[in-house]
Amino acid sequence: MTQADERAAELARLALDHGLSIAVAESLTCGRLACSLGAAPDSSDWFRGGVVAYHPDVKHRLLDVPDVPVVSETAARAMATGVRALLGATAAVAVTGVGGPDPQDGEPAGSVWFAVATDGEVRAEHRTFDGDPDRVLDQTVDHALDLLLDATKALRAENL
């Protein structure tokens, strides 16, 4: 079992135990994050789904990303908020970044923006990962799962 599988299984337990639902919006990872969550235990009970918004037009039209560089904090926040509303989830995570090997939107390879949206709150953060594009994608999925775990633990604590 990979680290991503372990994180997704833990997220499944938390979501099931506390009646939470999860959604994802991803660009850089092109479905890998949704695949990890969909393979977790009982995912049909808590995983609402995801939007793979690889092309900028999809981000703008479907997820209400404003006319900004798509590898940015603003884009990540809009993606998380948009997919949470679109799919009716308790929490959503978004990832947008540059896998490499070339830069994009003035950001170097390995640059990734994350955002997590819950009821009334959106948190964003930036990371820079080393390695080839596959390694950047793996690290991005792992970190996105960590952020979802943190968000679901916080939601659980609020509801105790």
Side-chain angles (χ1 to χ4, degrees), residues 28 65 69 80 111 113 119 127 159:
L28 167 67
V65 172
S111 176
W113 278 98
D119 189 28
R127 292 288 170 105
N159 295 324

Side-chain angles (χ1 to χ4, degrees), residues 32-47:
R32 286 188 187 193
L33 182 54
C35 188
S36 290
L37 295 174
D42 300 311
S43 60
S44 64
D45 293 331
W46 55 270
F47 181 46

Side-chain angles (χ1 to χ4, degrees), residues 99-118:
D102 299 319
Q104 178 185 342
D105 290 338
E107 296 283 341
S111 176
V112 183
W113 278 98
F114 297 85
V116 176
T118 57

Side-chain angles (χ1 to χ4, degrees), residues 8 14 18 23 37 42 54 62 85 92 102 109 125 127-128 131-132 135 139 152:
L14 285 167
H18 301 284
L37 295 174
D42 300 311
Y54 202 70
L62 189 60
D102 299 319
E125 68 177 61
R127 292 288 170 105
T128 303
D132 64 21
R135 180 72 183 124
Q139 292 173 87
T152 56

Side-chain angles (χ1 to χ4, degrees), residues 20-22 77 80-81 84-85 89-93 115-123 147-148 150-156 158:
L20 305 175
S21 58
I22 306 297
R77 285 177 176 274
T81 302
R84 182 178 176 271
T90 309
V93 68
V116 176
T118 57
D119 189 28
E121 182 181 19
V122 182
R123 291 179 297 123
L147 291 173
L148 276 173
D150 290 347
T152 56
K153 289 175 183 175
L155 288 168
R156 177 194 67 190
E158 288 174 10

Side-chain angles (χ1 to χ4, degrees), residues 65-84:
V65 172
D67 190 18
V68 298
V70 294
V71 180
S72 66
E73 178 179 358
T74 301
R77 285 177 176 274
M79 290 170 66
T81 302
V83 79
R84 182 178 176 271

